[in-house]
Amino acid sequence: MLGIKSHPEDFQLEVVVLGSHLIDDYGNTFRMIEQDDFDIGSKLHTIVRGEDEAAMVESVGLALVKLPDVLQRLKPDILIVHGDRFDALALATAAALMNIRILHVEGGEVSGTIDDSIRHAISKLAHYHACCTRRAEQHLIAMCEDHSRILLAGCPSYDKLLAKHHKEDYMDIIKSWLGENVKENDYIVALQHPVTTDIQHSIKIYGLMLDALLSFNKKTLVLFPNIDAGSKEMVRVMRRKGIEQHPNFRAVKHVPFEQFIQLVSHAGCMIGNSSCGVREAGAFGTPVVNLGTRQTGRETGENVLHVRDADTQSKIYHALELQFGKRYPCSKIYGDGNAVPRILKFLHSINMSEPLQKTFCFPIVKDSNSQDIDHILETQSALAVDLGGTNLRVAIVCMRGSIVKKYIQLNPKTYEARINLILKMCTEAMQDAIRLNCRILGVGISSGGRVNPQDGVVLHSTKLIQEWSSVDLRTPISDALHLPVWVDNDGNCAALAEKKFGQGRGVENFATVITGTGIGGGIILNNELVHGSTFCAAELGHIIVSLDGPECSCGSQGCIEAYASGLALQREAKKLNDEDIMTIEGMKVVEPITAIHLISAAKMGNSKAQAVLNKASTALGVGIINILHTVNPSLIILSGVLASCYQASVQRVISERALSSAQNIKVLTSDLEEPALLGAATMVLDYTTRRIY
C-alpha cells in the first residue's frame, strides 16, 4: 500500500477495510491504517461474533452480501488480496464473479488448518500472483497457474521489518510492553491461534503452553488468539490460569507492527503456532518453538524447533530450555527487503487489454528455473568474497558461473577496517544487484588459512593477512546484510568451483592444487568436500617431501610450498640474481625480482633457472603422488598462475614415481579465471537450491 501510494502518477490506491479490523475486542486496528495516512474509502462490518465454525461461514456470507456495492462503485482495475483468511476468500469470490482482475499476494505456500484450503482457493480465483518463496512458486505452477503471471517477489512485510528492526530506542519499546526490569533476549513472545480443523486439541495445546510458560518463569508477552473458531475458548483458558494478573505476563490484543518487530527481534524466544514464528522471526535469527500442526508444511529456517505432538507440558518446557536465549543466522527464505519494488514493476507490466478469462496450464508447465523474463524472474545469484593477501574482491555471481559484476579494493591491514570494507562492498553490490535484476541468495567467503566452515570462523590465517585469526565472519556479516553466510578456505573453494563449473564437473573423486603465492588445495571424495576432524584436511602445500629441505612459512621444513610456491621461486630467483647468474638473453634482470623472471629465464635456456624449476616441479609432483597414494582421486587439477608451468612436469613425475595403478591419472590445468570467487559463490548457490557440496 505504501509503495502504491508513493507513485500517484502511476496508481490510484483505494482502501477497503473489513473483518476484525473493525472490532473493538481486536483493537480497532483500522485506526492504525488511518494513522499511517491512508484514506479508507469503505468500512464493512462483516464479522458475525460467535468464534465458532458457523460464525466463520456466516461472516463470509455477510461479506459477500456487502462487497458487490463497494466494488461496483469503485470499479477497480486490479484488486490486491493478501493471504489466506476467510474474509479474503469472500473478497476474491466477489471480485472474480464481477470480472475484476485479482492479484493474490503470498499464494502457493503450505500450512495446516483450513487456511491452507482457503489460500489455494484464492489462488485459483486470482489472475496474477506475487509469491514469497521459490517453493511457493513451484506449487502455483503445479496447480496449473500460468507461469508468466507468477512473480517471485518475497514477502512485502520483510521490506519493512528488515529496514526497521535496528531501532536505537528498541529497549524503550520493549519496556513499554513488559516493564522496566525486562532485559534484551530474556523474555518470551507467545502467540497461539486455534486450529480450525481440530479445535479441541488446539485448546488443549494452548493450556499446556501456558502451563509451561508459567513454570519457565520468564517475562512473557502473550498476544490474544485471532478471531477463528475456538478463540473464545482459548481466551477462557488464559483467564482461568490468571495470566492477565500474573506479574511475569502481559496479555495484549494487538501490538503495532513496528513495535512488534522490536519485540520479536530481541526476544529470547518466540512460542506458539503463528506464521510470524516461521516467517518473520527467521529474519532476526530469533529462536522459535512451533507448537502443533498449524504451520505444517511451511518453509522454515534453522531457528525453528517443531513440537508437532505437543501433548505434555514437559515436552513444551524442554523445547523452551533448548531454544531460549540462542541466536541463529538470519534467514531470508521469505524475502530480502525488496518485494515492493518488484510488485510495482509487475503491476506496471500487466496488460489491461489482455483477456480477463483465466487460462490454466494442463498438464505441462514451464520449468520454474527459467529466468529470462526480467520483470517476473530474477537471476539467482550469490555475493562472493575473496580475501587475498593483497586485494579484497567481491563479485555478483549468477547460477551459471558468470561474474555479473566485480569489485576490487586493497585488503586493509586491520580487522576492523577489513570487516567495514567487506560490508561496504557487499552493500554496494546488493544495491547494484537490484538494478542488474539479480536475486542475492547469500554470501560466500573464501579466505586464506584454516577455516571452520560449520561456525563460519577463520581459525588461523596465513602470514599475508594480518589480524585474521579466531575471527567470526558469519555473525557480523549475516546480521548486517540479513543474508545467510558461508565461509571456507580458499583451496576448498577452488575445489568447489572446479566441481560446479570447471574440470571436475561429473567427477566423483578429484583433488585441486592451487599454485600461486603459496600452495593450497581441496579434495572432493564421493562428491563431497573433505574438511577433516580439525579442518586442516587438504593443506596440500604443507605435505613434507624432504626432511631437510628449505624452511616453510608454517615453521616446518621441506614442505611443497617451500619448493614450488611463487614465494619460493622468487626466493631462488633473487639468489641467482645476486650471483649474477639470473640473466635473460644475456641481460641481468632489473629489480624487483619475481617468479616470472625465473620462469622466463628457464624458457630462454638458463640452466640454473631450469634446475630450480625442475626441483620445484619434482617436489610438487612427489607431493601429489602422496595424495594419489592416500585418497586415490581419479583426477588432479592444477589451478593458479603457475599451473601451466608445472602441468607437464608433474604428469611426468607421476608416470615415473607413482604406483603402477596411479601412474595414468591425468593432471589437467584449470580453465577457470576466478576459482576462489566461483567457489565462494558455489557454497551459496548449491545450498540455497538444495544441492549438497
Side-chain angles (χ1 to χ4, degrees):
M1 289 167 65
L2 288 167
I4 290 171
K5 188 179 177 183
S6 67
H7 291 76
E9 70 282 2
D10 299 315
F11 306 106
Q12 180 182 340
L13 178 67
E14 297 284 354
V15 180
V16 179
V17 174
L18 64 158
S20 54
H21 279 299
L22 302 171
I23 296 179
D24 182 59
D25 286 356
Y26 290 86
N28 278 326
T29 49
F30 74 89
R31 294 196 184 102
M32 293 181 174
I33 301 172
E34 293 174 333
Q35 286 168 11
D36 283 340
D37 203 24
F38 289 106
D39 295 323
I40 299 176
S42 301
K43 297 176 186 173
L44 301 180
H45 292 269
T46 58
I47 297 297
V48 176
R49 301 305 298 271
E51 285 78 29
D52 58 15
E53 295 98 325
M56 290 170 65
V57 177
E58 290 169 357
S59 296
V60 172
L62 183 57
L64 285 170
V65 169
K66 293 187 173 185
L67 280 167
D69 287 343
V70 174
L71 296 178
Q72 204 156 29
R73 173 171 55 83
L74 294 176
K75 292 183 170 55
D77 295 310
I78 298 173
L79 189 72
I80 300 177
V81 181
H82 168 263
D84 50 24
R85 305 293 301 144
F86 57 81
D87 27 23
L89 177 62
L91 193 56
T93 302
L97 291 171
M98 296 179 72
N99 290 320
I100 297 169
R101 298 171 194 273
I102 301 167
L103 170 64
H104 185 205
V105 180
E106 297 186 13
E109 296 177 25
V110 176
S111 65
T113 81
I114 193 64
D115 292 356
D116 222 13
S117 301
I118 291 174
R119 186 187 312 109
H120 299 327
I122 295 172
S123 292
K124 299 314 295 180
L125 292 168
H127 303 81
Y128 308 96
H129 310 272
C131 59
C132 298
T133 70
R134 176 73 56 185
R135 190 180 299 176
E137 179 197 38
Q138 291 170 344
H139 290 161
L140 288 169
I141 293 169
M143 290 163 62
C144 303
E145 293 300 307
D146 185 343
H147 190 211
S148 67
R149 294 187 173 196
I150 301 171
L151 168 70
L152 177 54
C155 179
S157 66
Y158 267 56
D159 289 32
K160 195 167 188 179
L161 64 90
L162 290 178
K164 299 286 187 182
H165 91 279
H166 281 304
K167 292 189 73 171
E168 292 182 1
D169 63 344
Y170 68 90
M171 279 309 302
D172 294 336
I173 294 170
I174 293 168
K175 288 177 180 179
S176 71
W177 290 96
L178 286 163
E180 287 296 321
N181 296 327
V182 69
K183 297 178 182 178
E184 183 179 4
N185 297 332
D186 196 39
Y187 62 90
I188 296 170
V189 175
L191 180 52
Q192 179 91 355
H193 298 304
V195 177
T196 53
T197 50
D198 195 351
I199 294 172
Q200 292 307 312
H201 185 60
S202 65
I203 294 169
K204 177 186 174 183
I205 291 177
Y206 189 63
L208 294 171
M209 178 190 77
L210 294 176
D211 289 338
L213 288 169
L214 287 164
S215 301
F216 202 69
N217 198 32
K218 289 288 182 182
K219 287 282 187 182
T220 303
L221 181 72
V222 180
L223 281 87
F224 275 55
N226 65 19
I227 202 168
D228 284 350
S231 60
K232 188 183 293 184
E233 289 83 352
M234 291 173 74
V235 173
R236 289 195 188 110
V237 169
M238 180 176 67
R239 287 176 172 158
R240 279 200 302 269
K241 295 182 183 293
I243 296 298
E244 290 169 296
Q245 291 76 42
H246 196 285
N248 265 356
F249 286 77
R250 174 84 188 276
V252 298
K253 294 175 180 177
H254 181 77
V255 179
F257 183 69
E258 290 190 13
Q259 296 181 37
F260 187 64
I261 291 170
Q262 307 306 317
L263 288 161
V264 172
S265 64
H266 299 286
C269 183
M270 185 173 184
I271 187 170
N273 64 3
S274 167
S275 61
C276 174
V278 299
R279 295 169 65 98
E280 284 84 355
F284 316 122
T286 302
V288 173
V289 176
N290 178 53
L291 303 177
T293 59
R294 189 170 186 266
Q295 301 302 332
T296 298
R298 287 266 195 199
E299 297 173 75
T300 65
E302 59 183 292
N303 63 308
V304 179
L305 175 62
H306 297 281
V307 187
R308 303 205 190 281
D309 189 15
D311 54 353
T312 64
Q313 175 189 335
S314 62
K315 191 181 290 186
I316 299 172
Y317 186 92
H318 183 56
L320 283 168
E321 286 184 315
L322 290 172
Q323 287 287 78
F324 187 80
K326 281 188 176 181
R327 228 62 206 163
Y328 291 90
C330 300
S331 165
K332 297 182 74 175
I333 294 173
Y334 286 95
D336 60 3
N338 296 297
V340 171
R342 295 187 187 107
I343 293 173
L344 296 185
K345 191 176 179 183
F346 185 59
L347 285 170
H348 265 297
S349 73
I350 294 175
N351 180 3
M352 298 304 297
S353 64
E354 68 183 359
L356 185 64
Q357 175 61 50
K358 279 190 69 171
T359 56
F360 299 100
C361 301
F362 297 110
I364 299 171
V365 294
K366 293 181 182 178
D367 182 356
S368 65
N369 289 324
S370 173
Q371 299 184 14
D372 56 349
I373 309 171
D374 81 344
H375 68 272
I376 295 177
L377 287 178
E378 296 159 303
T379 304
Q380 291 185 98
S381 304
L383 280 189
V385 180
D386 177 35
L387 287 151
T390 304
N391 292 324
L392 195 163
R393 301 182 305 152
V394 173
I396 302 170
V397 182
C398 73
M399 186 65 77
R400 293 172 182 162
S402 300
I403 294 179
V404 180
K405 189 168 183 180
K406 185 162 60 177
Y407 312 78
I408 303 175
Q409 297 277 356
L410 288 175
N411 195 345
K413 300 299 182 185
T414 65
Y415 163 80
E416 187 174 348
R418 191 174 296 125
I419 286 290
N420 289 337
L421 182 58
I422 291 171
L423 292 175
K424 180 182 176 183
M425 293 172 72
C426 286
T427 301
E428 181 185 350
M430 288 174 65
Q431 292 169 350
D432 288 344
I434 298 172
R435 178 177 55 80
L436 295 167
N437 219 41
C438 294
R439 169 69 64 87
I440 302 299
L441 302 175
V443 182
I445 302 175
S446 165
S447 176
R450 190 157 64 91
V451 175
N452 176 347
Q454 295 174 3
D455 297 333
V457 174
V458 179
L459 301 173
H460 302 292
S461 178
T462 66
K463 291 183 179 180
L464 297 173
I465 309 178
Q466 301 169 14
E467 295 187 21
W468 208 240
S469 294
S470 301
V471 172
D472 178 3
L473 278 178
R474 174 177 293 158
T475 301
I477 294 174
S478 179
D479 287 350
L481 301 180
H482 311 296
L483 285 170
V485 175
W486 288 264
V487 187
D488 213 331
N489 146 286
D490 52 3
N492 289 335
C493 286
L496 290 175
E498 295 294 342
K499 177 156 187 60
K500 188 172 181 67
F501 302 114
Q503 303 280 22
R505 279 179 293 185
V507 182
E508 289 188 10
N509 304 287
F510 69 89
T512 297
V513 181
I514 303 176
T515 59
T517 306
I519 300 289
I523 296 173
I524 300 286
L525 284 182
N526 299 319
N527 286 316
E528 293 190 15
L529 191 59
V530 177
H531 285 105
S533 60
T534 57
F535 312 107
C536 66
E539 286 287 353
L540 308 182
H542 301 291
I543 294 175
I544 296 174
V545 293
S546 173
L547 296 178
D548 57 355
E551 185 176 342
C552 181
S553 61
C554 70
S556 186
Q557 285 182 288
C559 299
I560 297 176
E561 189 168 292
Y563 285 102
S565 67
L567 287 176
L569 296 183
Q570 182 183 39
R571 180 192 67 225
E572 295 301 316
K574 285 181 178 179
K575 286 182 183 178
L576 296 179
N577 197 55
D578 291 343
E579 298 169 6
D580 290 333
I581 301 172
M582 185 71 173
T583 59
I584 300 176
E585 294 183 338
M587 298 179 64
K588 188 174 178 179
V589 178
V590 179
E591 298 279 356
I593 306 298
T594 67
I596 300 300
H597 293 121
L598 183 80
I599 295 168
S600 298
K603 288 180 178 178
M604 294 294 180
N606 186 310
S607 60
K608 295 292 185 181
Q610 289 172 343
V612 171
L613 272 185
N614 184 58
K615 191 174 186 179
S617 57
T618 300
L620 180 60
V622 170
I624 289 174
I625 288 172
N626 290 333
I627 300 169
L628 299 180
H629 291 172
T630 304
V631 295
N632 196 213
S634 58
L635 177 66
I636 298 293
I637 302 170
L638 295 183
S639 180
V641 293
L642 301 174
S644 59
C645 174
Y646 284 137
Q647 187 265 335
S649 299
V650 169
Q651 187 76 74
R652 174 182 52 78
V653 172
I654 290 173
S655 66
E656 293 173 355
R657 300 194 181 199
L659 293 173
S660 58
S661 57
Q663 288 178 357
N664 294 322
I665 290 175
K666 290 289 184 185
V667 179
L668 303 178
T669 56
S670 173
D671 53 9
L672 300 179
E673 292 185 8
E674 298 284 3
L677 286 173
L678 292 178
T682 296
M683 292 189 287
V684 177
L685 299 173
D686 278 4
Y687 184 85
T688 53
T689 53
R690 300 300 187 267
R691 297 185 180 91
I692 297 173
Y693 70 88

PDB file of all heavy atoms in Angstrom, residues 451-468:
ATOM      1  N   VAL A 451      40.024 -22.723   8.252  1.00  0.00           N
ATOM      2  CA  VAL A 451      38.677 -22.196   8.475  1.00  0.00           C
ATOM      3  C   VAL A 451      37.786 -23.298   9.035  1.00  0.00           C
ATOM      4  O   VAL A 451      37.843 -24.447   8.592  1.00  0.00           O
ATOM      5  CB  VAL A 451      38.074 -21.659   7.157  1.00  0.00           C
ATOM      6  CG1 VAL A 451      36.628 -21.226   7.356  1.00  0.00           C
ATOM      7  CG2 VAL A 451      38.904 -20.499   6.626  1.00  0.00           C
ATOM      8  N   ASN A 452      36.935 -22.943  10.007  1.00  0.00           N
ATOM      9  CA  ASN A 452      35.870 -23.815  10.487  1.00  0.00           C
ATOM     10  C   ASN A 452      34.587 -23.415   9.754  1.00  0.00           C
ATOM     11  O   ASN A 452      33.931 -22.449  10.143  1.00  0.00           O
ATOM     12  CB  ASN A 452      35.702 -23.660  12.001  1.00  0.00           C
ATOM     13  CG  ASN A 452      34.536 -24.479  12.553  1.00  0.00           C
ATOM     14  OD1 ASN A 452      33.697 -24.982  11.804  1.00  0.00           O
ATOM     15  ND2 ASN A 452      34.471 -24.617  13.862  1.00  0.00           N
ATOM     16  N   PRO A 453      34.218 -24.145   8.700  1.00  0.00           N
ATOM     17  CA  PRO A 453      33.054 -23.724   7.905  1.00  0.00           C
ATOM     18  C   PRO A 453      31.734 -23.930   8.636  1.00  0.00           C
ATOM     19  O   PRO A 453      30.735 -23.304   8.301  1.00  0.00           O
ATOM     20  CB  PRO A 453      33.149 -24.608   6.652  1.00  0.00           C
ATOM     21  CG  PRO A 453      33.910 -25.812   7.095  1.00  0.00           C
ATOM     22  CD  PRO A 453      34.864 -25.349   8.156  1.00  0.00           C
ATOM     23  N   GLN A 454      31.721 -24.817   9.636  1.00  0.00           N
ATOM     24  CA  GLN A 454      30.475 -25.056  10.373  1.00  0.00           C
ATOM     25  C   GLN A 454      30.054 -23.820  11.160  1.00  0.00           C
ATOM     26  O   GLN A 454      28.877 -23.491  11.245  1.00  0.00           O
ATOM     27  CB  GLN A 454      30.647 -26.247  11.312  1.00  0.00           C
ATOM     28  CG  GLN A 454      30.882 -27.567  10.586  1.00  0.00           C
ATOM     29  CD  GLN A 454      31.193 -28.701  11.544  1.00  0.00           C
ATOM     30  OE1 GLN A 454      31.192 -28.536  12.758  1.00  0.00           O
ATOM     31  NE2 GLN A 454      31.483 -29.867  10.985  1.00  0.00           N
ATOM     32  N   ASP A 455      31.042 -23.134  11.763  1.00  0.00           N
ATOM     33  CA  ASP A 455      30.741 -21.946  12.561  1.00  0.00           C
ATOM     34  C   ASP A 455      31.029 -20.649  11.820  1.00  0.00           C
ATOM     35  O   ASP A 455      30.744 -19.568  12.336  1.00  0.00           O
ATOM     36  CB  ASP A 455      31.559 -21.969  13.864  1.00  0.00           C
ATOM     37  CG  ASP A 455      31.210 -23.157  14.751  1.00  0.00           C
ATOM     38  OD1 ASP A 455      30.066 -23.642  14.646  1.00  0.00           O
ATOM     39  OD2 ASP A 455      32.072 -23.600  15.530  1.00  0.00           O
ATOM     40  N   GLY A 456      31.629 -20.746  10.616  1.00  0.00           N
ATOM     41  CA  GLY A 456      31.958 -19.533   9.872  1.00  0.00           C
ATOM     42  C   GLY A 456      33.087 -18.742  10.494  1.00  0.00           C
ATOM     43  O   GLY A 456      33.086 -17.508  10.480  1.00  0.00           O
ATOM     44  N   VAL A 457      34.099 -19.462  11.045  1.00  0.00           N
ATOM     45  CA  VAL A 457      35.184 -18.815  11.780  1.00  0.00           C
ATOM     46  C   VAL A 457      36.522 -19.108  11.099  1.00  0.00           C
ATOM     47  O   VAL A 457      36.814 -20.257  10.760  1.00  0.00           O
ATOM     48  CB  VAL A 457      35.228 -19.309  13.239  1.00  0.00           C
ATOM     49  CG1 VAL A 457      36.452 -18.758  13.967  1.00  0.00           C
ATOM     50  CG2 VAL A 457      33.953 -18.914  13.977  1.00  0.00           C
ATOM     51  N   VAL A 458      37.339 -18.056  10.891  1.00  0.00           N
ATOM     52  CA  VAL A 458      38.720 -18.242  10.449  1.00  0.00           C
ATOM     53  C   VAL A 458      39.552 -18.563  11.685  1.00  0.00           C
ATOM     54  O   VAL A 458      39.691 -17.732  12.592  1.00  0.00           O
ATOM     55  CB  VAL A 458      39.271 -16.977   9.760  1.00  0.00           C
ATOM     56  CG1 VAL A 458      40.718 -17.191   9.341  1.00  0.00           C
ATOM     57  CG2 VAL A 458      38.428 -16.623   8.548  1.00  0.00           C
ATOM     58  N   LEU A 459      40.096 -19.793  11.757  1.00  0.00           N
ATOM     59  CA  LEU A 459      40.826 -20.237  12.947  1.00  0.00           C
ATOM     60  C   LEU A 459      42.247 -19.675  12.973  1.00  0.00           C
ATOM     61  O   LEU A 459      42.675 -19.097  13.960  1.00  0.00           O
ATOM     62  CB  LEU A 459      40.850 -21.766  12.995  1.00  0.00           C
ATOM     63  CG  LEU A 459      39.482 -22.451  13.029  1.00  0.00           C
ATOM     64  CD1 LEU A 459      39.634 -23.955  12.910  1.00  0.00           C
ATOM     65  CD2 LEU A 459      38.743 -22.092  14.310  1.00  0.00           C
ATOM     66  N   HIS A 460      42.982 -19.901  11.892  1.00  0.00           N
ATOM     67  CA  HIS A 460      44.356 -19.410  11.788  1.00  0.00           C
ATOM     68  C   HIS A 460      44.563 -18.882  10.377  1.00  0.00           C
ATOM     69  O   HIS A 460      44.263 -19.570   9.401  1.00  0.00           O
ATOM     70  CB  HIS A 460      45.368 -20.518  12.071  1.00  0.00           C
ATOM     71  CG  HIS A 460      45.212 -21.140  13.428  1.00  0.00           C
ATOM     72  ND1 HIS A 460      45.469 -20.465  14.596  1.00  0.00           N
ATOM     73  CD2 HIS A 460      44.797 -22.376  13.791  1.00  0.00           C
ATOM     74  CE1 HIS A 460      45.230 -21.257  15.620  1.00  0.00           C
ATOM     75  NE2 HIS A 460      44.815 -22.414  15.162  1.00  0.00           N
ATOM     76  N   SER A 461      45.126 -17.696  10.275  1.00  0.00           N
ATOM     77  CA  SER A 461      45.318 -17.096   8.960  1.00  0.00           C
ATOM     78  C   SER A 461      46.737 -17.333   8.461  1.00  0.00           C
ATOM     79  O   SER A 461      47.623 -17.745   9.199  1.00  0.00           O
ATOM     80  CB  SER A 461      45.046 -15.598   9.044  1.00  0.00           C
ATOM     81  OG  SER A 461      45.275 -14.991   7.794  1.00  0.00           O
ATOM     82  N   THR A 462      46.923 -17.076   7.176  1.00  0.00           N
ATOM     83  CA  THR A 462      48.278 -17.054   6.619  1.00  0.00           C
ATOM     84  C   THR A 462      48.961 -15.771   7.069  1.00  0.00           C
ATOM     85  O   THR A 462      48.315 -14.811   7.514  1.00  0.00           O
ATOM     86  CB  THR A 462      48.229 -17.092   5.084  1.00  0.00           C
ATOM     87  OG1 THR A 462      47.621 -15.882   4.623  1.00  0.00           O
ATOM     88  CG2 THR A 462      47.415 -18.271   4.590  1.00  0.00           C
ATOM     89  N   LYS A 463      50.294 -15.721   6.926  1.00  0.00           N
ATOM     90  CA  LYS A 463      51.043 -14.530   7.329  1.00  0.00           C
ATOM     91  C   LYS A 463      50.728 -13.325   6.449  1.00  0.00           C
ATOM     92  O   LYS A 463      51.002 -12.188   6.817  1.00  0.00           O
ATOM     93  CB  LYS A 463      52.541 -14.832   7.301  1.00  0.00           C
ATOM     94  CG  LYS A 463      52.982 -15.809   8.384  1.00  0.00           C
ATOM     95  CD  LYS A 463      54.487 -16.026   8.363  1.00  0.00           C
ATOM     96  CE  LYS A 463      54.907 -16.987   9.478  1.00  0.00           C
ATOM     97  NZ  LYS A 463      56.378 -17.224   9.481  1.00  0.00           N
ATOM     98  N   LEU A 464      50.129 -13.585   5.293  1.00  0.00           N
ATOM     99  CA  LEU A 464      49.841 -12.494   4.364  1.00  0.00           C
ATOM    100  C   LEU A 464      48.654 -11.646   4.804  1.00  0.00           C
ATOM    101  O   LEU A 464      48.480 -10.518   4.358  1.00  0.00           O
ATOM    102  CB  LEU A 464      49.574 -13.056   2.965  1.00  0.00           C
ATOM    103  CG  LEU A 464      50.749 -13.786   2.300  1.00  0.00           C
ATOM    104  CD1 LEU A 464      50.288 -14.431   1.004  1.00  0.00           C
ATOM    105  CD2 LEU A 464      51.901 -12.836   2.046  1.00  0.00           C
ATOM    106  N   ILE A 465      47.791 -12.202   5.663  1.00  0.00           N
ATOM    107  CA  ILE A 465      46.610 -11.462   6.133  1.00  0.00           C
ATOM    108  C   ILE A 465      46.750 -11.254   7.631  1.00  0.00           C
ATOM    109  O   ILE A 465      46.677 -12.207   8.405  1.00  0.00           O
ATOM    110  CB  ILE A 465      45.302 -12.209   5.809  1.00  0.00           C
ATOM    111  CG1 ILE A 465      45.247 -12.608   4.331  1.00  0.00           C
ATOM    112  CG2 ILE A 465      44.097 -11.336   6.150  1.00  0.00           C
ATOM    113  CD1 ILE A 465      44.002 -13.391   3.949  1.00  0.00           C
ATOM    114  N   GLN A 466      46.923 -10.018   8.055  1.00  0.00           N
ATOM    115  CA  GLN A 466      47.157  -9.709   9.459  1.00  0.00           C
ATOM    116  C   GLN A 466      45.844  -9.595  10.220  1.00  0.00           C
ATOM    117  O   GLN A 466      44.789  -9.309   9.653  1.00  0.00           O
ATOM    118  CB  GLN A 466      47.950  -8.403   9.579  1.00  0.00           C
ATOM    119  CG  GLN A 466      49.304  -8.450   8.880  1.00  0.00           C
ATOM    120  CD  GLN A 466      49.934  -7.071   8.787  1.00  0.00           C
ATOM    121  OE1 GLN A 466      49.507  -6.129   9.440  1.00  0.00           O
ATOM    122  NE2 GLN A 466      50.969  -6.954   7.958  1.00  0.00           N
ATOM    123  N   GLU A 467      45.931  -9.801  11.566  1.00  0.00           N
ATOM    124  CA  GLU A 467      44.766  -9.691  12.461  1.00  0.00           C
ATOM    125  C   GLU A 467      43.593 -10.516  11.943  1.00  0.00           C
ATOM    126  O   GLU A 467      42.469 -10.041  11.831  1.00  0.00           O
ATOM    127  CB  GLU A 467      44.337  -8.219  12.621  1.00  0.00           C
ATOM    128  CG  GLU A 467      45.364  -7.349  13.313  1.00  0.00           C
ATOM    129  CD  GLU A 467      44.832  -5.947  13.601  1.00  0.00           C
ATOM    130  OE1 GLU A 467      43.593  -5.777  13.637  1.00  0.00           O
ATOM    131  OE2 GLU A 467      45.645  -5.042  13.794  1.00  0.00           O
ATOM    132  N   TRP A 468      43.850 -11.776  11.633  1.00  0.00           N
ATOM    133  CA  TRP A 468      42.818 -12.585  10.964  1.00  0.00           C
ATOM    134  C   TRP A 468      42.804 -14.012  11.504  1.00  0.00           C
ATOM    135  O   TRP A 468      42.636 -14.958  10.758  1.00  0.00           O
ATOM    136  CB  TRP A 468      43.060 -12.569   9.457  1.00  0.00           C
ATOM    137  CG  TRP A 468      41.824 -12.748   8.628  1.00  0.00           C
ATOM    138  CD1 TRP A 468      41.570 -13.741   7.729  1.00  0.00           C
ATOM    139  CD2 TRP A 468      40.665 -11.913   8.624  1.00  0.00           C
ATOM    140  NE1 TRP A 468      40.338 -13.574   7.164  1.00  0.00           N
ATOM    141  CE2 TRP A 468      39.750 -12.453   7.692  1.00  0.00           C
ATOM    142  CE3 TRP A 468      40.303 -10.762   9.322  1.00  0.00           C
ATOM    143  CZ2 TRP A 468      38.515 -11.884   7.438  1.00  0.00           C
ATOM    144  CZ3 TRP A 468      39.070 -10.192   9.062  1.00  0.00           C
ATOM    145  CH2 TRP A 468      38.192 -10.750   8.131  1.00  0.00           C
TER     146      TRP A 468
END
